[in-house]
Amino acid sequence: MKALVKWDAQPGLLLDECPVPSIGPDDVLIKIRKTGICGTDIHIYSWDEWAQRTIPVPMVVGHEYAGEVVELGANVRHLRVGQRVSGEGHVVGMKSRAARGGRFHLDPETKGVGVQIPGAFAEYLRLPAFNVVPLPDSIDDELGAILDPLGNAVHTALSFDLVGEDVLVTGAGPIGIMAAAVARHAGARHVVITDVNPTRLALAAEVADVEPVDVGKEDLQSVKARLGLREGFDVGLEMSGAPAAFEQMVEHLVMGGKIAMLGIPARPASVDWAKVVFKMLTIKGIYGREMFETWHKMLAMLESGLDIRKVITHRLPAQEYEMGFEIMKSGNSGKIVLDWN
Ligand code: NAD
Ligand code: ZN
């Protein structure tokens, strides 16, 4: 089969021939139709320090996908050949206290599809049946291919009650934009999204009914005044990984405000902890998606009017992956979907 492989410990990826994975009794084989390019894939493509520390080579990369079940392991009863599916990209162990308690997303032995185990930028993917998520007919393959990052957005956004709340989203990358759309869908009052990239802010306004703010040009204090927020934002969703954005969030949240933090700072950064303490803020780190509550919620919201399709700005055949990776690296895109048909 064709797959995007990192053969050696150096930048780049090659579309190359690989054996079709063989499946075990508890696995399924998925014929991949569409995949999404993630920021993580860009790290692997560029072979930065994180990738060098994390990715064993050779490795087939990619973890955002939709496809069709073509083979079932001997023990798999609840799925069928021909079924359209996506799936959770974190493969968990079953030994930890968290996993045995049903809190699978907290399992410390988690392995990432396309990170530590062979991934989805390929014609076929082997996946534990446990991880498979069937797709309803109303969710097509390209939406199916971006459920992984939508799940990050949903997991973050639904961490705190948003109904009637004023929400600040920092970072209008694809995930921040989707989180803002989720906040709007969930019933927030004001949803403000910040970035320093005008292209991304314009995309945010196109995807969701949100207030885009270029923090390079406008101060959040004047935004609060404009919106009539006397005390500040109730909930912050940190989606940039930029220490400056986190600092602004702490500054502009209300006393007792809540922060859900998905953005990953590139290196350790200092925080004004006295402000966090005196404001009595709650900060929750977010990793991945809850298995499988986040998946249920996002499918249900997509079926009840959440529309994030416009976050997909580029659609390319898999052969043109290099162009896709370069566009993604430029920072001037939303999600990029590769077609494996
Ligand atoms: P992205 O890099 O495409 O978007 C980040 C955005 O933040 C960019 O548009 C950038 O211009 C903007 N930004 C930079 N400085 C800013 C500032 N001072 N204020 C406001 N915005 C600023 O990333 P993405 O794919 O949308 O992902 C969002 C974040 O979540 C990234 O940090 C990513 O690494 C992280 N992530 C975490 C998980 C997890 O499980 N925790 C999963 C996926 C992604
Ligand atoms: Zn991803």
Side-chain angles (χ1 to χ4, degrees):
M1 66 170 186
K2 287 267 189 291
L4 273 183
V5 196
K6 169 78 80 185
W7 281 115
D8 306 301
Q10 59 181 29
L13 287 168
L14 199 63
L15 186 65
D16 213 349
E17 276 302 322
C18 289
V20 174
S22 53
I23 62 168
D26 298 313
D27 299 329
V28 301
L29 190 68
I30 299 171
K31 170 90 181 76
I32 297 294
R33 301 278 183 221
K34 309 248 176 176
T35 58
I37 303 179
C38 177
T40 302
D41 303 319
I42 300 297
H43 290 293
I44 300 173
Y45 180 76
S46 309
W47 203 237
D48 65 9
E49 276 175 44
W50 171 85
Q52 292 172 31
R53 275 199 312 274
T54 314
I55 314 295
V57 289
M59 181 60 64
V60 175
V61 302
H63 59 270
E64 303 180 357
Y65 53 91
E68 182 185 326
V69 174
V70 290
E71 193 186 337
L72 299 173
N75 297 338
V76 181
R77 299 269 179 275
H78 66 291
L79 298 167
R80 57 179 172 74
V81 168
Q83 201 163 12
R84 293 177 54 252
V85 298
S86 181
E88 171 56 48
H90 287 151
V91 175
V92 298
M94 290 294 165
K95 296 199 288 282
S96 69
R97 172 181 172 182
R100 290 179 63 80
R103 300 180 307 279
F104 300 111
H105 65 295
L106 298 178
D107 179 59
E109 286 172 11
T110 297
K111 291 197 167 57
V113 170
V115 177
Q116 288 108 352
I117 54 178
F121 288 161
E123 287 179 282
Y124 296 93
L125 171 72
R126 177 198 78 90
L127 192 72
F130 178 77
N131 285 52
V132 172
V133 177
L135 292 176
D137 292 342
S138 60
I139 295 177
D140 59 25
D141 290 342
E142 71 170 22
L143 280 184
I146 63 164
L147 292 178
D148 172 293
L150 174 60
N152 294 136
V154 167
H155 186 184
T156 314
L158 299 189
S159 285
F160 299 109
D161 180 14
L162 298 181
V163 178
E165 304 293 329
D166 298 323
V167 178
L168 173 64
V169 183
T170 48
I175 306 183
I177 292 175
M178 290 190 281
V182 171
R184 170 58 68 230
H185 184 80
R189 180 171 59 174
H190 294 298
V191 182
V192 169
I193 187 163
T194 67
D195 206 293
V196 288
N197 174 341
T199 310
R200 288 263 165 104
L201 288 165
L203 181 63
E206 225 178 285
V207 175
D209 171 22
V210 294
E211 184 96 12
V213 173
D214 186 336
V215 281
K217 299 204 179 98
E218 194 179 7
D219 185 353
L220 280 176
Q221 195 58 43
S222 62
V223 174
K224 285 196 296 192
R226 175 152 52 82
L227 298 177
L229 308 187
R230 274 183 301 134
E231 295 171 21
F233 296 92
D234 305 297
V235 177
L237 310 177
E238 206 310 286
M239 307 302 229
S240 74
F246 183 75
E247 206 175 298
Q248 273 188 326
M249 189 168 268
V250 169
E251 188 66 38
H252 294 287
L253 247 59
V254 296
M255 296 277 291
K258 301 178 177 83
I259 298 178
M261 203 170 166
L262 184 92
I264 304 171
R267 53 197 68 83
S270 69
V271 171
D272 188 344
W273 289 112
K275 277 201 183 128
V276 173
V277 171
F278 287 124
K279 283 188 118 171
M280 292 176 278
L281 302 180
T282 300
I283 303 175
K284 182 184 179 195
I286 308 288
Y287 178 52
R289 295 143 298 280
E290 283 190 27
M291 287 167 244
F292 286 85
E293 189 61 14
T294 305
W295 287 88
H296 175 86
K297 293 268 194 189
M298 77 175 135
L299 294 176
M301 284 190 287
L302 287 170
E303 288 190 301
S304 62
L306 173 66
D307 183 1
I308 43 92
R309 188 177 307 269
K310 286 186 189 152
V311 83
I312 302 174
T313 53
H314 297 76
R315 297 160 175 87
L316 295 168
Q319 294 86 327
E320 291 174 29
Y321 68 97
E322 275 182 314
M323 190 195 295
F325 277 74
E326 290 304 326
I327 296 170
M328 187 85 179
K329 261 171 94 169
S330 76
N332 290 323
S333 71
K335 289 302 295 182
I336 299 177
V337 171
L338 298 178
D339 189 332
W340 291 82
N341 286 314

